Amino acid sequence: MTSFQERLTDGLYGLGWSTVKTLPEPVAVRLGRSVADLAWKRRGTSVQRLESNYARVVPDASPERLAELSRAGMRSYLRYWMESFRLPAWSAERVRNGFDPKDLHFLTDGLAEGRGVVLALPHLANWDLAGAWVTTKLGIPFTTVAERLKPETLYDRFVAYREGLGMEVLPHSGGSAFGTLARRLRDGGLVCLVADRDLSASGTEVSFFGETARMPAGPALLAQQTGALLLPVTLWYDESPVMQGRLHPPVEVPGTGTRAEKTSVMTQALADAFATGIAEHPEDWHMLQRLWLADLDPDRAPARPEKGTP
């Protein structure tokens, strides 16, 4: 990305946070849907990748069904952005009423026991809204990690935005994040991590919708090293303004095996929980990047029968 493109990207995000949050909600909803439909009709690289990813999630979908899913997926993705641009201007009451998670007792019971808790989420619906709800409705602070973006000013915008919602934000790079997260958990705190895409190229391989993908090992390692509870979370939208969610049962640390073996088993359990939520609401999975190893490395692609071969 050139310096001009970086400045343009930063300026567009800044415009979103400064302008969209002042719009009446119905206007912002219509704007988001219009932008989503325009992007979908252009069928750029991101839309094509989204559709390709949905083809793994819904393998029996016809081309027409995949097109419907990708259109709904772009609308869901732009709903995320419209909400995110507006979240800093939402009242505390609006935040408290904006999310309805099921089986919340897994989180509250774990914290009440004095254990740290790791919430691990895929890129479903609006994880920032879920985080704002935790800090506002439950009054529980938490720590998370943000990918370093370019330009640096854009990264700073995202950090300021999330800190404004009550989150402690650590940079993904730099090497110190894991130690800080572990300290927060040993103190009985809460850590929230988006964990369906590995950013380090050294994650753990999992079977995900029948093919190999790589997901971060951090959530499983943190649970092993600190004794924290590891809870998968999935989110989705319905036709209402209220986002829905579910906390899944804890992922247990295996009683035997090496650290790597335990990490593999636990990360696979996370992937399975993520897959359950994504399969139920594929249009709310905002994965516009390559994820499966077959897409990252063609040599890892599984053999496929030639056309006409049974």
Side-chain angles (χ1 to χ4, degrees):
M1 186 181 290
T2 67
S3 60
F4 171 76
Q5 289 173 318
E6 290 179 353
R7 291 196 303 273
L8 178 61
T9 299
D10 181 50
L12 289 173
Y13 278 103
L15 183 64
W17 270 303
S18 63
T19 302
V20 173
K21 70 180 180 183
T22 66
L23 298 175
E25 188 158 347
V27 175
V29 170
R30 289 196 299 271
L31 175 62
R33 180 160 292 200
S34 297
V35 172
D37 287 349
L38 178 61
W40 178 78
K41 288 176 182 176
R42 292 181 63 185
R43 291 196 60 79
T45 303
S46 294
V47 173
Q48 293 180 50
R49 175 54 53 191
L50 181 67
E51 204 164 287
S52 174
N53 289 338
Y54 286 160
R56 256 73 168 236
V57 176
V58 190
D60 58 348
S62 65
E64 294 76 16
R65 172 60 178 148
L66 286 175
E68 290 174 358
L69 271 177
S70 64
R71 184 179 189 181
M74 290 305 295
R75 288 182 171 185
S76 176
Y77 184 53
L78 264 294
R79 176 174 173 175
Y80 160 78
W81 278 113
M82 291 297 108
E83 287 180 348
S84 295
F85 287 144
R86 293 172 55 76
L87 261 176
W90 280 16
S91 67
E93 181 180 7
R94 177 73 176 85
V95 173
R96 286 193 293 266
N97 294 331
F99 181 39
D100 182 22
K102 281 71 177 173
D103 296 322
L104 185 63
H105 64 91
F106 287 125
L107 169 61
T108 53
D109 289 352
L111 292 174
E113 293 171 2
R115 297 179 66 179
V117 175
V118 180
L119 297 181
L121 307 87
H123 285 80
L124 274 169
N126 191 337
W127 46 96
D128 285 327
L129 172 55
W133 186 89
V134 167
T135 60
T136 304
K137 173 77 172 182
L138 302 183
I140 299 172
F142 68 87
T143 305
T144 189
V145 174
E147 178 184 1
R148 278 206 174 274
L149 302 171
K150 289 187 176 182
E152 191 73 16
T153 51
L154 179 58
Y155 170 76
D156 292 340
R157 284 187 191 275
F158 271 95
V159 170
Y161 158 64
R162 289 182 170 131
E163 288 180 341
L165 299 176
M167 311 175 193
E168 179 187 21
V169 183
L170 307 175
H172 181 270
S173 60
S176 63
F178 188 90
T180 302
L181 295 174
R183 286 194 294 274
R184 299 292 183 268
L185 293 169
R186 291 191 182 100
D187 290 339
L190 176 63
V191 164
C192 300
L193 300 171
V194 180
D196 57 343
R197 185 166 68 95
D198 178 54
L199 296 174
S200 67
S202 60
T204 299
E205 291 190 4
V206 296
S207 176
F208 195 53
F209 291 101
E211 290 191 36
T212 303
R214 189 184 290 119
M215 293 188 180
L221 289 171
L222 285 166
Q224 290 178 61
Q225 292 193 19
T226 67
L229 202 64
L230 176 55
L231 299 177
V233 181
T234 54
L235 311 171
W236 68 93
Y237 291 127
D238 57 19
E239 296 303 315
S240 77
V242 180
M243 185 176 69
Q244 306 298 312
R246 175 174 294 110
L247 283 81
H248 296 254
V251 173
E252 301 293 343
V253 178
T256 60
T258 65
R259 185 174 71 168
E261 290 168 342
K262 292 178 181 180
T263 300
S264 177
V265 170
M266 296 172 72
T267 306
Q268 183 63 61
L270 279 181
D272 292 342
F274 293 166
T276 297
I278 292 167
E280 291 174 351
H281 306 279
E283 68 279 4
D284 292 323
W285 189 40
H286 307 151
M287 185 53 66
L288 281 70
Q289 300 86 18
R290 291 180 173 88
L291 177 72
W292 281 272
L293 295 193
D295 294 331
L296 296 166
D297 179 3
D299 292 336
R300 299 290 297 271
R304 299 181 185 276
E306 294 182 5
K307 201 170 184 179
T309 302

